Amino acid sequence: MDDNNKTDRIRSFWRFIIFKIAIKTVFGFVTKRKLLLPLFFLINALCWSQNLDKTDSVRTTNLIDSLLIDHDLRNWSVRLFGNIKAQGFKLSNNEAAFTYIPNNLYGIGIGVASRKLILDIGFTIKDKSTENTDRFDLRGGFIFNQSVIDFYFQIYDGFNIQNSINNTTVFRDDIKSIAGGIDYLYLFNAGKYSQTLLRSGLKNQEQNIFSFGVGGFLVYNQISADRSIIPMEFDPYFNEQARITNIISYGIGAMGGLVGLFRLPSNFYIGIGAKAGIGLTIKNAETETVSYNPRNPVLYKLDGSVLFGYKWNRFYTNISLRGSIHMSNLGFENNGAFTFLSGKLVLGYRIKGNKKSI
């Protein structure tokens, strides 16, 4: 009985700590407008992915250990990669459009992959002859049975501004973009499909397969600058509400997707994926003179990917291309779209040889 009471007190204590952290996180986001909301969602999802009432403290530790950590080295690989990435923003109306694109699109990096987790960390290759975009870029993914979870967190400082009026480009180092999000997809045919396992080099593609999935997404975006993100000479083409110095949007939605894998001769394979979603978003915009909340809450999301790879012995390589966009109305005849484009070339090595059967 004493042990049970002690366990209950421990559970209550941790619930209180997690709740207090969550409240402080949300409060800090509202007051300081920093990017804490995606971290809150991620921490909250991991903390509450299992019912703690049904496990004691020892079982909870074992559960977390088995959730993310695979102790069999044959289920792990290490990887080197080169990539190209561009996280951008587009502001448009019926007369003109501005596109904000970073410099230094190329990078290299290292990563690890297992049957449950892929985590790659990249470093930007900077060109000293051009003005540089400083960036932090993290992407990852999890597999839980039939559930596939992807997440990202990005900070970009410095953008090229391309306009549709005279097609000129100017670099602004004061424009900063912060983006984060989580995508969840439940695959009905996941027992035979896993693009993540192919990316990690731990499994051969044995047959052609299609799968349909449903799920949801969370997104957060912020664009900020010292002055209006529209160059002064183009003010006549946009109204006052488009001369943004800070805009924050965060939303939630539902989505569905189709994925497919095709086996090719000689250990080659190709994978494709497409997702579309719709959701609701809350936005706040500030200009040099006014502050407002766009009233149209609808958010649209599109996502597509292609994977081509080859696997031999304990080495593997693959090339992947991915594009994502989510769009919403900013009110006052202005529209906004956040985009992400990436390509990656991976060379990986499985730490130990395969089991007789995976």
Side-chain angles (χ1 to χ4, degrees):
M1 180 66 70
D2 291 339
D3 290 339
N4 291 334
N5 291 336
K6 182 178 180 181
T7 301
D8 290 338
R9 289 195 297 270
I10 293 174
R11 293 173 184 161
S12 299
F13 172 77
W14 281 110
R15 288 195 189 96
F16 172 77
I17 293 298
I18 293 172
F19 175 78
K20 188 173 182 181
I21 293 174
I23 291 299
K24 287 185 177 180
T25 301
V26 175
F27 181 78
F29 164 75
V30 173
T31 56
K32 298 181 181 180
R33 296 187 177 182
K34 301 295 183 180
L35 183 58
L36 297 180
L37 186 62
L39 297 180
F40 165 70
F41 281 134
L42 180 58
I43 294 171
N44 193 54
L46 293 177
C47 289
W48 298 104
S49 60
Q50 301 293 335
N51 186 347
L52 298 183
D53 290 337
K54 296 182 179 180
T55 60
D56 58 27
S57 58
V58 176
R59 290 179 180 176
T60 301
T61 302
N62 292 336
L63 177 63
I64 294 174
D65 181 68
S66 63
L67 193 64
L68 300 177
I69 301 174
D70 195 324
H71 297 280
D72 192 338
L73 291 180
R74 288 172 293 190
N75 290 335
W76 286 87
S77 69
V78 293
R79 22 199 291 134
L80 300 173
F81 66 87
N83 65 3
I84 178 172
K85 285 188 178 182
Q87 178 235 85
F89 174 71
K90 184 176 182 179
L91 177 65
S92 63
N93 58 23
N94 294 330
E95 297 184 26
F98 280 82
T99 305
Y100 302 81
I101 303 172
N103 270 339
N104 317 118
L105 302 181
Y106 302 97
I108 57 174
I110 58 176
V112 294
S114 74
R115 296 173 64 90
K116 302 176 182 179
L117 171 69
I118 291 179
L119 183 61
D120 291 335
I121 300 177
F123 306 91
T124 304
I125 300 175
K126 294 186 177 182
D127 184 355
K128 295 182 179 180
S129 64
T130 63
E131 296 179 280
N132 292 311
T133 298
D134 295 323
R135 68 177 71 188
F136 174 82
D137 207 319
L138 173 66
R139 298 188 70 91
F142 301 98
I143 301 175
F144 302 121
N145 297 323
Q146 294 174 278
S147 299
V148 179
I149 300 174
D150 296 311
F151 64 89
Y152 64 95
F153 176 60
Q154 302 167 311
I155 302 176
Y156 281 53
D157 279 300
F159 285 85
N160 286 311
I161 307 177
Q162 298 179 352
N163 70 82
S164 63
I165 301 168
N166 57 19
N167 296 318
T168 58
T169 301
V170 61
F171 184 82
R172 288 269 301 274
D173 61 4
D174 65 304
I175 297 179
K176 181 176 183 178
S177 171
I178 302 176
I182 303 174
D183 287 355
Y184 170 81
L185 202 65
Y186 180 91
L187 296 178
F188 295 100
N189 201 19
K192 298 180 181 179
Y193 171 90
S194 177
Q195 194 173 123
T196 304
L197 281 179
L198 289 178
R199 292 176 187 270
S200 65
L202 298 173
K203 184 178 181 180
N204 291 318
Q205 179 58 24
E206 299 178 354
Q207 59 182 325
N208 299 334
I209 189 70
F210 279 99
S211 182
F212 173 73
V214 295
F217 62 90
L218 299 169
V219 295
Y220 176 95
N221 289 97
Q222 179 178 6
I223 299 288
S224 60
D226 294 340
R227 59 188 187 278
S228 171
I229 62 175
I230 297 176
M232 186 180 300
E233 60 268 28
F234 298 108
D235 279 352
Y237 296 92
F238 286 87
N239 54 33
E240 184 180 16
Q241 288 77 14
R243 300 166 194 168
I244 294 168
T245 58
N246 188 74
I247 184 169
I248 297 173
S249 67
Y250 49 99
I252 184 172
M255 67 180 179
L258 288 171
V259 294
L261 289 175
F262 302 92
R263 181 183 180 183
L264 303 177
S266 303
N267 288 331
F268 285 96
Y269 58 85
I270 187 170
I272 58 173
K275 296 182 289 188
I278 186 171
L280 300 176
T281 180
I282 298 175
K283 302 179 286 285
N284 175 261
E286 295 180 1
T287 72
E288 293 174 338
T289 56
V290 298
S291 176
Y292 66 96
N293 297 98
R295 294 183 179 181
N296 190 333
V298 180
L299 173 69
Y300 303 97
K301 179 179 172 66
L302 296 174
D303 192 295
S305 62
V306 177
L307 172 70
F308 178 76
Y310 176 71
K311 182 173 177 290
W312 76 100
N313 296 327
R314 287 161 63 178
F315 288 92
Y316 65 93
T317 184
N318 56 65
I319 299 174
S320 60
L321 299 173
R322 182 176 180 179
S324 178
I325 181 171
H326 50 277
M327 304 164 288
S328 64
N329 186 286
L330 300 181
F332 303 95
E333 300 181 347
N334 300 312
N335 295 298
F338 291 91
T339 60
F340 174 79
L341 298 172
S342 70
K344 181 183 289 187
L345 172 63
V346 174
L347 176 63
Y349 178 76
R350 297 193 309 280
I351 295 177
K352 286 191 175 183
N354 283 336
K355 301 176 183 179
K356 292 183 179 179
S357 63
I358 296 181

